[in-house]
Amino acid sequence: MRSSWSCPAAVLRSRAVTVSCLYVLAAAAAAPMATAQALPAPAVVTGITSPKEQFGFAIGDDYQLATYEQLTAYWRRLDEQSDRMALVDIGKTAEGRSQWMAIITSPDNHRKLDRLKAIARRLALAEDVTTDAEARALAAEGRAVVWIDGGLHANETLGAQQLIETVYQLVSRDDEETRRILDNVVVLAVHANPDGHDLVANWYLRERDPLKRSLDDLPRLYQKYAGHDNNRDSYMSALAETANMNRVLYREWFPQIMYNHHQTGPAGTVMFAPPFRDPFNYVYDPLIPTSLDLVGAAMHTRFAAEGKPGVTMRRGANYSTWWNGGLRTTVYFHNMIGLLTETIGHPTPMEIPFRPERQLPSNDLPFPIEPQVWHMRQSVEYSLTANRAVLDLAARYREQFLFNIWRMGRNSIERGQRDTWTMYPRRLEKVQQAQAAGEPAGGPRLAPGAAPKSLFTRVLRDPALRDPRGYILRADQPDFPTAIVFANALIRAGVTVHRATQPFTVEGRQYPAGSLVVKAAQAFRPHVLDMFEPQDHPDDFRFPGGPPIPPYDSAGWTLAFQMGVQFDRVLEGFDGPFERVADEIDIPPGRVTGPATATAFVFSHTSNQAFRAVNRLLAAGERVERLGDGRFRVVVGRQTRARLDDVARVTGVSFEGVTGAAGGAGRVLRPMRVGLWDRYGGSMPSGWLRLVLEQFEFAYEVVYPPQLDAGGLASRFDVIVLPDGAIPEPGALWAPRQPRPEIVPAEYRERIGSFSANTTLPQIRAFLEQGGTVLAIGSSTSIGGHLGLPIGDKLVDAAGNPLKTEQYYVPGSILRVRVDTTQPVALGLRADTDVYFDNSPVFTLPADAAARGITPVAWFDSPAPLRSGWAWGQRHLEGGVAIAQAKVGRGSLVLFGPEITFRAQPHGTFRFLFNGIHLANAER
Ligand SMILES: [Zn+2]
C-alpha cells in the first residue's frame, strides 16, 4: 500500500511497514522492453477503440500515463461503442469530479441488470431468503458480482492504468473465456481516486523530456484531506470517495468478491497476492479465510501456468486480515472476499533487485523471479492475469459464491438470534491461568495437552461473556448528535439501524423515543460487533521473548469508543416499538425556549455541535460568552432569536432563554485565528485536521514552515496547531528531504522547508510569550523539550533508556485516561475518556510542576488502561501524563500525547481541540 516512490513519506509514520525502495533506472530507459509471454492473438470485437488509438500510446508504454480526464473521455467512448458496458457516476469527489464506475457484463445480462442487482442484494442481506432451496434457486438465476478497482493510491500509478486496459479487454475480446466471464459475472470496474489520478499523472507528464519524468516531490496530498490515508476511512466514510464506494459495496451491489489494486510488490518480487498472514479477525465468518485461500490459489495457479514468476503470499509481506477500515479489509466484516495485490511497476523503467532471500522457493513464494529490468507493461500484464484469474473463478463457481455470501449472511442473522460466544485471546489466557492454578482439583486424569471440559463451560461459555443481541444508543445522552454521526457511519457501511418511535424498556432500563437500536441479527453482524466491541489483538511476537510483529495498521479501533458514544449492550433477545431507519439520520433539531423577554440564551457545551453553534454565532457577529461551568451564553441582539432557530435546526443544540445575569459572569468569546501547520507534499494528520475543522465550521489558515520562520505570528494568529509530524525530537539529525525549488511550480515554492531549532523555534517561543496558544499533538509534543520545559518521558527504564519493544509496545489502540474536567481545555469531557493512542508520547512532570505553570490534564490512573487493541507492557503507563498544559510567557502550550483527531474518527476527543482553540478566550 505504501508507495515506494515516495519513500521519505513513509518515515512520517511507521504505522504500516513499508517495503524497501525500488530503484528507478533512468539509465535503463534505452533498454528494449523485455518480451512478455507470447500469447495467441485473441479474437476481438470490431468497432471498439483501443487505448493506443485513443491516447496515441498503449497502456503501460514506457514514460506514459493516461490521466483521469483522458480515462473519462475514453470510457465515455467505450460506453457508446459497446453493448457490454454501462458507465455510472457514483458521486462527486472531494474536488468535485465525477467518480466513474464501468459496469461490464454480457448484453443479455445488461438487459436484466436490475434483476441481477436485486438477487445480489437479497442473497447478501439474507433477510427474506431463509432456506437453502430459495438461496440455491436465486444463486442459479443470479450472476457473480466482482468489484475491481484501481487508482486508490494515486502515486501507485499501475492501479488506474491497469483498470483502463482491463475494461478495454473485457469489452473488446471475444475469446471463449471472456464470453464465459461476461455471461456469468457482472464486473464493477471502479476508479477509486479520480482527483489523485489527475494530480499525479499531470505531475509526471509535466516534463516534456521523458527521461526527466518523475513521480517524486508531489506538492500536495493525492486525496484532498487524507492522501494515502484514503485507504483508512472505510468504516467511517468521512471522505466523499469512501462514501461513494461504500454505497456501491454495501447498499447497492453487494459484490461477493472485491479486488483492490495497490503498488508496490515486496523487493525482489513482482507482486504480493492473497492469502494473507495471521492474525485474522475473530468476528467474521470462517468462509472468509477459506474463500481467500480459494481465490488466492486461483491467482497463484494462473501465474504459474502462464509462466509469470515472482508472486508471493502470506508471510511474503505484512498484510493481514485483522484490521477493519481499509477499502479491502472492511469487506470481510460484510461477508465479502476482499483481495489486495501489491505490484511493482513504474512508467519509467525500473529494476527488480537481487534479494537472495527471495530466490529459494517456498509456500509463500513458489516461483521466484530473477533480478531484471522491468517495464510498466509487464506489470499491466500481471494485473490482467490476476484479474482474469479472479473473474474466471467467479464465472466457473458463480453459484457457490452467490450461495456462500447468503450462507454467511444467514449465519450472521442466526448467530444474532441465539446465545453465541466469540473467542478472544484473553479468554484463552483465562483458561490457561485456571488450569495452571490446578483447577478443578481432583478431576479425572487428562490426556496430555487437554483441559477439563468443565473449564470450557465455566470460562468460555460464561453467560456474562455472550455476544450481545444488540446495542441501544440512548436519545438522552449528553452528546446525542455524535451518536447520530456514529449511527450514520454504520448506515453508510450498510448496517441496519432502528429507531424507537415511543419510549420503551429493555432489561429493566427505560429509554426515550428516538433512541437508536442496532440489532446483531443482521447479515453484517461482524461489522456491528466490530464497531461496538473491543478488539483483542493476540500477543504476536517474532519468537518468545522477542520483538513484537507490528500489526499492518491499528490493533484496536472500536468506533463507539473512539467517538465517546454511550450505549448499552443487550445480552438477551429484545424488541420494542422500533422502525427501520431508511437512510442517514438527520440530527434532531434543538429547541429555543424561554420567555419572550429573554436577554440571553444559555446552551450546553457537552456536544461537539455546541462548538459549531458557537462558530456560526460568532461568524454572524453575535456576542457569545463562556460561563464558568463551561456552558455558553449568547446575548440577545437584534437578530439573535431568528439566528438561534436556524442554528438549533442545523446543530441540534437547544437554547434556553434567561433574563438578567443567569449563569453568572461569562468571558466574551471572539473568533480565533487558527494557523494549522502543514508542509510541502501535504501532511496526512494535518489534512484530517482540516476536515475536522471544516466539519465543525472553524475558520483556519494553513501555515507552512517558511511562514512560521518569517515570524510576526502573534499578529496573524491566536492559535497554532502542530499536528503529529510537525516537530522532530530535539537534537534529531534526520530532516525530511526537500525538493529543489527550481523543480517546483511557483505556487508551491512557499511551502518548502521544515522545522528548525534555529529559525522556527524562536518564532514559536515569541508567539507563546506574546499570549498565543500552541496545540501540539502526538510526536509534535516534542516542542515542549525544544522550549526547555521540565517534562520527562514516562516510557524509560530505571537507567533512563527508552523501554524496548519487548517490554512495552502499544500500536494503534484505544486506552482510557482520567481527565481533570475542570481544566479549560477539558471542559465537557468525561472524567474517563477513551483516547486513540499509537505508541504515543507519555510524560512525567516534576514535583514542582504546578509552581512552574505546568498542569496535568489527563493521565493514566490504572495499570491496565487498554480498552481495545494491544497494549503489551501497559503497566508502564500507570501514572504517566497523557495531556499536559504549560504556561509559556503569557501564552499556553498544550501537549496532547494521544491522537485526539486521528483520521477524523475520535469525535470523543475532538473537544480537547475545540476547547484548546478557545483557550486564549478562556484565559483572557
Ligand atoms: Zn497502496
Side-chain angles (χ1 to χ4, degrees), residues 633-847:
R633 181 169 61 198
V634 55
V635 178
V636 172
R638 279 177 48 193
Q639 294 170 25
T640 309
R641 188 96 196 198
R643 274 202 190 103
L644 291 184
D645 288 335
D646 189 46
V647 173
R649 185 173 45 75
V650 174
T651 64
V653 171
S654 286
F655 298 90
E656 185 194 346
V658 295
T659 53
R667 288 179 304 276
V668 179
L669 302 184
R670 59 190 164 90
M672 292 284 101
R673 298 168 300 166
V674 178
L676 172 63
W677 172 90
D678 203 343
R679 61 173 169 78
Y680 182 91
S683 141
M684 292 186 278
S686 179
W688 286 117
L689 261 158
R690 271 189 279 126
L691 183 60
V692 171
L693 293 172
E694 289 173 21
Q695 284 173 346
F696 292 90
E697 301 181 19
F698 282 90
Y700 67 91
E701 189 183 329
V702 175
V703 57
Y704 293 90
Q707 291 103 66
L708 291 179
D709 291 354
L713 299 173
S715 65
R716 291 179 60 195
F717 302 112
D718 302 298
V719 186
I720 291 175
V721 184
L722 301 173
D724 186 78
I727 310 291
E729 287 291 319
L733 296 174
W734 176 81
R737 195 181 70 84
Q738 298 293 322
R740 288 175 291 116
E742 61 270 25
I743 68 122
V744 172
E747 61 179 309
Y748 297 116
R749 253 172 238 164
E750 295 282 286
R751 303 182 178 187
I752 299 172
S754 56
F755 174 90
S756 146
N758 291 329
T759 55
T760 324
L761 183 62
Q763 302 302 343
I764 292 178
R765 187 190 295 278
F767 173 73
L768 281 161
E769 285 172 349
Q770 290 164 43
T773 301
V774 172
L775 308 176
I777 304 171
S779 67
S780 290
T781 56
S782 62
I783 190 75
H786 285 283
L787 291 165
L789 298 178
I791 294 175
D793 180 358
K794 178 72 173 70
L795 302 171
V796 292
D797 63 17
N801 298 312
L803 293 171
K804 294 192 178 73
T805 54
E806 290 90 332
Q807 300 167 290
Y808 166 85
Y809 181 69
V810 187
S813 293
I814 298 171
L815 306 181
R816 177 154 279 186
V817 292
R818 171 70 56 179
V819 179
D820 177 357
T821 58
T822 66
Q823 300 283 336
V825 76
L827 289 171
L829 271 290
R830 294 223 299 259
D832 283 317
T833 291
D834 292 332
V835 297
Y836 187 86
F837 185 97
D838 183 7
N839 284 310
S840 302
V842 180
F843 318 113
T844 56
L845 303 185

Side-chain angles (χ1 to χ4, degrees), residues 243-557:
N244 296 338
M245 292 190 284
N246 280 355
R247 202 187 58 249
V248 174
L249 285 166
Y250 308 127
R251 301 173 75 187
E252 290 183 358
W253 269 106
F254 306 91
Q256 299 86 48
I257 302 174
M258 79 82 75
Y259 179 178
N260 180 217
H261 278 261
H262 287 267
Q263 189 180 327
T264 182
T269 74
V270 177
M271 180 190 280
F272 172 89
F276 303 91
R277 73 171 177 95
D278 274 334
F280 70 79
N281 201 293
Y282 310 110
V283 299
Y284 53 60
D285 198 280
L287 276 166
I288 289 296
T290 57
S291 301
L292 279 168
D293 275 0
L294 175 71
V295 185
M299 299 169 86
H300 291 279
T301 300
R302 190 168 181 127
F303 279 112
E306 290 187 5
K308 291 188 168 87
V311 186
T312 187
M313 63 187 113
R314 292 192 194 89
R315 283 174 298 173
N318 190 38
Y319 311 104
S320 75
T321 55
W322 171 256
W323 171 62
N324 193 343
L327 184 54
R328 176 262 316 182
T329 65
T330 297
V331 305
Y332 303 135
F333 301 80
H334 294 75
N335 307 323
M336 297 170 188
I337 303 159
L339 311 172
L340 158 127
T341 55
E342 295 273 353
T343 313
I344 64 168
H346 199 288
T348 303
M350 53 177 284
E351 179 140 303
I352 299 176
F354 174 38
R355 294 288 292 257
E357 78 279 13
R358 301 277 189 189
Q359 289 300 317
L360 189 66
S362 71
N363 274 314
D364 290 347
L365 178 55
F367 188 10
I369 191 167
E370 294 181 5
Q372 57 191 276
V373 173
W374 193 260
H375 296 266
M376 182 78 149
R377 180 68 199 182
Q378 293 170 281
S379 295
V380 172
E381 296 288 346
Y382 268 63
S383 302
L384 291 166
T385 295
N387 288 340
R388 289 186 83 84
V390 174
L391 294 173
D392 172 52
L393 188 77
R396 290 177 192 275
Y397 292 96
R398 77 175 162 82
E399 291 187 41
Q400 282 80 354
F401 285 116
L402 284 161
F403 180 81
N404 283 352
I405 198 170
W406 172 81
R407 183 69 267 168
M408 288 187 264
R410 205 60 221 161
N411 287 346
S412 286
I413 292 171
E414 289 165 8
R415 286 180 189 122
Q417 290 169 336
R418 57 178 156 82
D419 286 347
T420 54
W421 287 261
T422 301
M423 186 62 189
Y424 295 110
R426 290 329 131 194
R427 295 188 181 174
L428 187 59
E429 272 176 20
K430 283 206 176 78
V431 173
Q432 290 161 339
Q433 286 160 2
Q435 201 179 4
E439 189 188 344
R445 213 181 147 79
L446 293 168
K453 193 178 172 189
S454 58
L455 271 185
F456 176 89
T457 310
R458 189 177 69 71
V459 179
L460 297 185
R461 291 297 176 264
D462 177 354
L465 298 181
R466 283 172 294 168
D467 298 323
R469 301 288 186 92
Y471 304 87
I472 304 174
L473 301 121
R474 310 185 62 90
D476 55 0
Q477 60 185 281
D479 190 0
F480 191 55
T482 293
I484 289 176
V485 176
F486 169 74
N488 284 339
L490 300 183
I491 290 168
R492 286 179 175 202
V495 168
T496 298
V497 174
H498 287 85
R499 178 170 40 209
T501 55
Q502 298 165 41
F504 64 102
T505 302
V506 168
E507 293 186 350
R509 290 185 293 259
Q510 294 188 324
Y511 297 91
S515 295
L516 300 174
V517 176
V518 185
K519 291 202 169 187
Q522 54 179 303
F524 299 156
R525 175 180 179 268
H527 193 69
V528 171
L529 293 184
D530 196 60
M531 293 293 98
F532 281 99
E533 298 290 314
Q535 283 80 44
D536 183 358
H537 193 281
D539 293 332
D540 192 14
F541 293 96
R542 299 209 184 279
F543 51 87
I549 300 174
Y552 166 69
D553 198 271
S554 299
W557 51 84

